[in-house]
């Protein structure tokens, strides 16, 4: 990184960007990630073949203990290319529909039935093509939704003996535009028992088995790049009985044993996390550096090509699974009065 940043767009000096990238790189190499990264976590035993049941048990254990795990090379890149084509079409339709309403996807704050901004530059949208009967992805959807490697882990975590014990709440996409803001750290969902006094619901939730699991899937290698803003997680935070107070202590540096990690993903990988674990999306810094005058011609060309590859939105496919009784009432507005973004497009 040193010596390669000569100028940055307004509001972002080179030193600040460099420090952010170095911090992200360190958090992607925290020792605890060795326990969360599969199959490398298993290969340390000297074995190189693992029965599916063993993989499922070990990865499920990691999620129960730490709140997340990464499973490498579990999705066929050729399948992801097919999905990516549909994602690009939806992305174009999304931005067009927002523009028609005078909303800039990279800056606007909005909430519709199918799409909502999570912070400046970060858009969350339902991806129905993946689950639609007779839809464009019908031939490949089950290779993702019921993936032979990570889906048994989801079943294990949710205590399901068959498909009836797991519900796909929805499939969605996150688009993080260049220049997007960091999200605040948060837990997904809302208290299961809001009628209880004080923090009683959080205390109960911290002591029950997983009831919802998210799976993050990058569409291309560049979507996992440190420049585009990897998701940060706080391992173990799904067990916090007082999440607000404990998160404040972590961010103030008062819990030196608690680490913030940001696993780097590649196309074909999947990151599974317990719905309760504290996490946040980070800013997309792509496109913010310019080529220095001192660089040679070939180095300049390589860096220009790199900027072109990175200077786009980060795209993450996610699958939200839950126990049959669980539903999400927060991330999207399903009430009859909710306005549809795509109704007239």
């Amino acid at each position: 990184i040193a010596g390669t940043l000569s100028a940055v767009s307004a509001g972002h000096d080179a030193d600040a960007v460099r420090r952010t990238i170095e911090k992200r790189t360190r958090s992607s190499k925290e020792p605890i990630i060795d326990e969360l990264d599969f199959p490398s976590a298993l290969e340390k035993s000297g074995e190189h073949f693992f029965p599916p049941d063993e993989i499922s048990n070990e990865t499920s254990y990691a999620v129960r203990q730490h709140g997340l795990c990464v499973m490498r090379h579990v999705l066929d890149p050729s399948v992801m290319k097919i999905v990516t084509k549909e994602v690009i079409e939806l992305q174009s339709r999304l931005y067009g529909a927002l523009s028609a309403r005078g909303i800039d996807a990279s800056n606007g704050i909005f909430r519709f039935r199918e799409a909502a901004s999570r912070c400046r530059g970060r858009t969350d949208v339902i991806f129905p093509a993946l689950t639609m009967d007779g839809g464009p992805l019908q031939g490949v959807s089950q290779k993702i939704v019921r993936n032979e490697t990570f889906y048994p882990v989801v079943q294990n975590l949710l205590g399901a003996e068959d498909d009836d014990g797991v519900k796909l709440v929805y499939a969605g996409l996150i688009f993080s535009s260049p220049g997007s803001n960091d999200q605040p750290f948060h837990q997904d969902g809302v208290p299961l028992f809001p009628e209880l006094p004080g923090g009683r619901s959080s205390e109960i939730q911290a002591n029950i088995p997983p009831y919802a699991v998210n799976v993050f899937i990058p569409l291309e290698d560049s979507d996992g790049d440190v420049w585009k803003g990897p998701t940060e997680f706080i391992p173990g935070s799904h067990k916090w009985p007082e999440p607000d107070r404990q998160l404040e202590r972590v961010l103030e540096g008062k819990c030196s044993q608690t680490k913030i990690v940001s696993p780097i993903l590649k196309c074909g990988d999947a990151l599974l996390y317990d719905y309760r674990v504290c996490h946040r999306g980070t800013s997309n810094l792509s496109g913010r550096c310019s080529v220095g005058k001192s660089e040679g011609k070939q180095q300049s060309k390589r860096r220009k090509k790199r900027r072109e590859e990175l200077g786009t939105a980060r795209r993450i496919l996610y699958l939200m699974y839950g126990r049959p009784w669980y539903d999400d009432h927060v991330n999207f507005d399903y009430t009859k009065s909710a306005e549809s973004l795509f109704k007239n497009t």
Side-chain angles (χ1 to χ4, degrees):
I1 298 170
T4 63
L5 299 178
S6 62
V8 183
S9 60
H12 300 278
D13 66 71
D15 286 340
V17 174
R18 183 183 294 112
R19 288 193 297 270
T20 299
I21 295 299
E22 289 173 346
K23 179 182 176 183
R24 290 178 183 178
T25 302
R26 286 195 301 272
S27 67
S28 73
K29 297 178 179 178
E30 285 285 350
I32 192 174
I33 289 183
D34 290 342
E35 301 176 41
L36 309 175
D37 201 309
F38 295 87
S40 61
L42 294 173
E43 289 171 352
K44 289 185 176 180
S45 66
E47 299 288 339
H48 293 280
F49 173 76
F50 308 98
D53 287 349
E54 182 178 350
I55 294 175
S56 176
N57 290 336
E58 292 292 334
T59 48
S60 299
Y61 178 79
V63 177
R64 287 192 173 92
Q65 288 295 107
H66 303 294
L68 70 149
C69 79
V70 177
M71 302 185 73
R72 304 289 183 185
H73 316 301
V74 297
L75 290 148
D76 184 345
S78 65
V79 169
M80 298 313 300
K81 284 185 178 180
I82 297 171
V83 175
T84 299
K85 286 184 63 177
E86 291 299 319
V87 170
I88 292 172
E89 287 191 18
L90 176 60
Q91 187 177 9
S92 176
R93 186 180 173 213
L94 169 71
Y95 289 176
L98 289 172
S99 179
R101 295 171 181 267
I103 300 171
D104 181 353
S106 64
N107 284 292
I109 301 299
F110 52 89
R111 181 176 174 84
F112 295 96
R113 185 178 301 165
E114 316 91 343
S117 57
R118 300 304 178 205
C119 68
R120 178 180 172 273
R122 188 178 307 276
T123 302
D124 192 349
V125 60
I126 294 292
F127 187 38
L130 193 64
T131 55
M132 187 187 307
D133 289 338
L137 297 177
Q138 185 173 11
V140 299
S141 63
Q142 291 305 301
K143 295 179 181 179
I144 299 174
V145 175
R146 297 288 184 266
N147 177 266
E148 62 181 8
T149 306
F150 72 68
Y151 183 66
V153 182
V154 173
Q155 289 180 301
N156 187 317
L157 289 167
L158 298 179
E161 295 182 356
D162 52 39
D163 287 348
D164 291 337
V166 176
K167 176 172 67 173
L168 179 65
V169 181
Y170 50 75
L173 293 158
I174 297 289
F175 298 120
S176 177
S177 301
S180 61
N181 286 354
D182 288 334
Q183 281 185 295
F185 275 100
H186 62 281
Q187 293 176 312
D188 288 332
V190 295
L192 290 179
F193 310 104
E195 72 277 13
L196 296 180
R200 183 64 179 144
S201 182
S202 294
E203 184 179 338
I204 293 173
Q205 286 173 225
N207 289 281
I208 61 176
Y211 53 85
V213 174
N214 258 343
V215 181
F216 277 7
I217 299 169
L219 299 176
E220 298 175 324
D221 284 351
S222 65
D223 291 318
D225 195 280
V226 291
W227 284 91
K228 283 196 171 182
T231 305
E232 294 182 338
F233 295 88
I234 304 180
S237 55
H238 61 308
K239 297 180 178 181
W240 286 351
E242 299 178 276
D244 291 341
R245 184 182 68 83
Q246 289 169 276
L247 175 60
E248 183 178 355
R249 287 178 54 80
V250 169
L251 298 182
E252 290 175 349
K254 296 179 179 178
C255 298
S256 59
Q257 298 302 310
T258 302
K259 302 298 181 181
I260 296 174
V261 302
S262 52
I264 300 302
L265 305 177
K266 297 288 188 181
C267 181
D269 297 342
L271 186 150
L272 284 67
Y273 72 90
D274 188 304
Y275 209 53
R276 299 166 291 182
V277 77
C278 285
H279 64 284
R280 69 167 182 169
T282 58
S283 57
N284 184 340
L285 298 174
S286 64
R288 289 188 180 172
C289 64
S290 64
V291 179
K293 294 180 181 179
S294 61
E295 290 183 337
K297 193 172 183 180
Q298 290 303 315
Q299 187 178 1
S300 175
K301 286 182 178 179
R302 287 195 297 270
R303 182 151 296 281
K304 181 180 179 181
K305 181 179 179 182
R306 180 62 169 158
R307 288 202 312 275
E308 289 171 349
E309 290 172 348
L310 292 177
T312 57
R314 181 184 192 236
R315 298 179 299 223
I316 296 291
L317 167 66
Y318 70 90
L319 308 172
M320 181 192 168
Y321 298 93
R323 292 180 184 254
W325 52 265
Y326 185 76
D327 211 344
D328 175 78
H329 303 285
V330 177
N331 285 319
F332 296 99
D333 188 348
Y334 292 116
T335 59
K336 291 183 178 179
S337 60
E339 185 179 2
S340 171
L341 175 63
F342 301 119
K343 184 176 180 181
N344 297 316
T345 63

